[in-house]
Amino acid sequence: MLLAGKTALVTGAANRIGAEIARTLHQNGANLIIHYRNSSAAAHALERDLNAERNESAICYQADLSDIEALDLLAQKSTQAFDSLDFLINNASCFYPTRLGEINERDWQDLIGSNFKAPLFLSQACYPSLREANGAIVNMLDIYASSPLKNYSLYCCTKAASQMLVKSLALEMAPQVRVNGIAPGAILWPETSDANAVEKQQALLRKIPLNRTGSTESITQTVMFLLGHDYITGEVIRVDGGRLLHSA
Ligand SMILES: NC(=O)c1ccc[n+]([C@@H]2O[C@H](COP(=O)([O-])OP(=O)(O)OC[C@H]3O[C@@H](n4cnc5c(N)ncnc54)[C@H](OP(=O)(O)O)[C@@H]3O)[C@@H](O)[C@H]2O)c1
């Protein structure tokens, strides 16, 4: 129980990678704040599961992370829930293409809001509690933060900004709070209605030296490593099967 007595806030924790991170931190003893936006049923189901394993060890909070006031409230409620806050995992994200010529302000708000604005303002709002706890932040980034994906320019820029945020906050929050990032490659395919999705996925797999997608476990192991390591800060770990070893 490496994280016994610790409390973690995971954003976008109702489904997919966020839910697996939440489960792993909880299995390792942490109390959990499960943040969600629209996925109320899944978030509450996860809360029930975790509380069935350990009574009063998990709670859900809803918030649209594009709303700055909601971020302050989320930080405040998360600290009060279990009397401290040790870890913040900035996982929530929007991901969709924005083709040049069609990019509009709504895309800007959605993509910047979830991938950059929220990690910045939520980290700032949580900082006093994290500092008191000598805690840590992990930002979920993307390999496309450092190498662009065609037709996703806005998304790539938001993740690049969030990657710089890791380094900037690591400097400003030291020595009490460590700040690191994880840049996944292909872990879980996005939910899409694209009829050519399988074909595109096969093409992408051919560019991955390890020739397969990663598992959610490959991400949760990395989160645990970063939270447990007391001398790494400002670092971004790629979990991509070697994908970025190819230039394109
Ligand atoms: N999946 C991959 O293979 C992959 C690859 C590279 C990077 N990543 C990164 O890893 C992280 C997890 O990936 P994922 O695929 O599991 O994520 P995801 O399913 O695309 O999104 C996670 C959650 O983010 C929440 N969210 C989005 N916009 C929000 C907003 N404005 N306010 C509050 N919540 C918001 C949504 O919550 P609700 O459902 O509650 O609305 C959503 O369920 C992301 O940061 C992603 O960029 C993933």
Side-chain angles (χ1 to χ4, degrees), residues 4-80:
K6 307 283 187 190
T7 298
L9 163 59
V10 182
T11 67
N15 300 299
R16 291 166 55 87
I17 293 175
E20 291 309 313
I21 294 172
R23 282 185 192 283
T24 301
L25 300 188
H26 186 266
Q27 275 161 13
N28 280 279
N31 294 320
L32 243 293
I33 318 292
I34 302 161
H35 158 267
Y36 69 97
R37 178 189 50 178
N38 296 331
S39 299
S40 172
H44 283 92
L46 179 58
E47 179 193 45
R48 275 194 301 278
D49 281 0
L50 300 188
N51 282 326
E53 281 167 31
R54 222 171 51 242
N55 202 21
E56 295 189 354
S57 60
I59 190 160
C60 298
Y61 289 129
Q62 194 277 342
D64 181 343
L65 299 182
S66 305
D67 173 0
I68 288 197
E69 285 175 19
L71 297 177
D72 285 342
L73 195 59
L74 178 62
Q76 195 184 323
K77 288 197 296 187
S78 299
T79 303
Q80 285 166 355

Side-chain angles (χ1 to χ4, degrees), residues 26-164:
H26 186 266
Q27 275 161 13
N28 280 279
N31 294 320
L32 243 293
I33 318 292
I34 302 161
H35 158 267
Y36 69 97
R37 178 189 50 178
N38 296 331
S39 299
S40 172
H44 283 92
L46 179 58
E47 179 193 45
R48 275 194 301 278
D49 281 0
L50 300 188
N51 282 326
E53 281 167 31
R54 222 171 51 242
N55 202 21
E56 295 189 354
S57 60
I59 190 160
C60 298
Y61 289 129
Q62 194 277 342
D64 181 343
L65 299 182
S66 305
D67 173 0
I68 288 197
E69 285 175 19
L71 297 177
D72 285 342
L73 195 59
L74 178 62
Q76 195 184 323
K77 288 197 296 187
S78 299
T79 303
Q80 285 166 355
F82 299 99
D83 289 330
S84 68
L85 186 64
D86 299 271
F87 305 126
L88 166 63
I89 314 296
N90 284 309
N91 169 77
S93 165
C94 282
F95 174 72
Y96 57 85
T98 48
R99 286 177 186 81
L100 201 58
E102 297 169 11
I103 302 174
N104 59 46
E105 199 173 354
R106 185 175 180 153
D107 299 329
W108 171 270
Q109 303 287 8
D110 277 356
L111 290 163
I112 292 267
S114 58
N115 290 304
F116 179 49
K117 185 173 146 194
L120 166 58
F121 284 96
L122 190 57
S123 299
Q124 179 173 263
C126 291
Y127 178 44
S129 308
L130 295 170
R131 185 176 51 199
E132 200 171 320
N134 283 309
I137 297 175
V138 175
N139 279 9
M140 290 302 293
L141 306 168
D142 197 305
I143 52 167
Y144 298 124
S146 40
S147 179
L149 177 63
K150 193 174 175 187
N151 294 328
Y152 287 76
S153 55
L154 190 45
Y155 170 81
C156 295
C157 289
T158 67
K159 288 294 193 185
S162 194
Q163 183 160 293
M164 177 50 77

Side-chain angles (χ1 to χ4, degrees), residues 105-231:
E105 199 173 354
R106 185 175 180 153
D107 299 329
W108 171 270
Q109 303 287 8
D110 277 356
L111 290 163
I112 292 267
S114 58
N115 290 304
F116 179 49
K117 185 173 146 194
L120 166 58
F121 284 96
L122 190 57
S123 299
Q124 179 173 263
C126 291
Y127 178 44
S129 308
L130 295 170
R131 185 176 51 199
E132 200 171 320
N134 283 309
I137 297 175
V138 175
N139 279 9
M140 290 302 293
L141 306 168
D142 197 305
I143 52 167
Y144 298 124
S146 40
S147 179
L149 177 63
K150 193 174 175 187
N151 294 328
Y152 287 76
S153 55
L154 190 45
Y155 170 81
C156 295
C157 289
T158 67
K159 288 294 193 185
S162 194
Q163 183 160 293
M164 177 50 77
L165 187 64
V166 164
K167 295 172 192 295
S168 302
L169 292 185
L171 200 57
E172 291 196 38
M173 292 187 174
Q176 294 94 346
V177 180
R178 293 176 303 102
V179 186
N180 292 294
I182 298 175
I187 306 295
L188 293 178
W189 299 119
E191 287 157 12
T192 172
S193 52
D194 184 345
N196 300 319
V198 173
E199 205 177 298
K200 288 180 184 167
Q201 289 163 7
Q202 291 307 319
L204 202 153
L205 283 177
R206 285 193 288 275
K207 293 182 180 173
I208 300 174
L210 295 189
N211 204 22
R212 55 184 161 83
T213 57
S215 63
T216 52
E217 203 185 354
S218 57
I219 299 297
T220 57
Q221 279 171 353
T222 314
V223 173
M224 283 301 296
F225 170 75
L226 287 172
L227 294 185
H229 203 298
D230 70 357
Y231 204 57

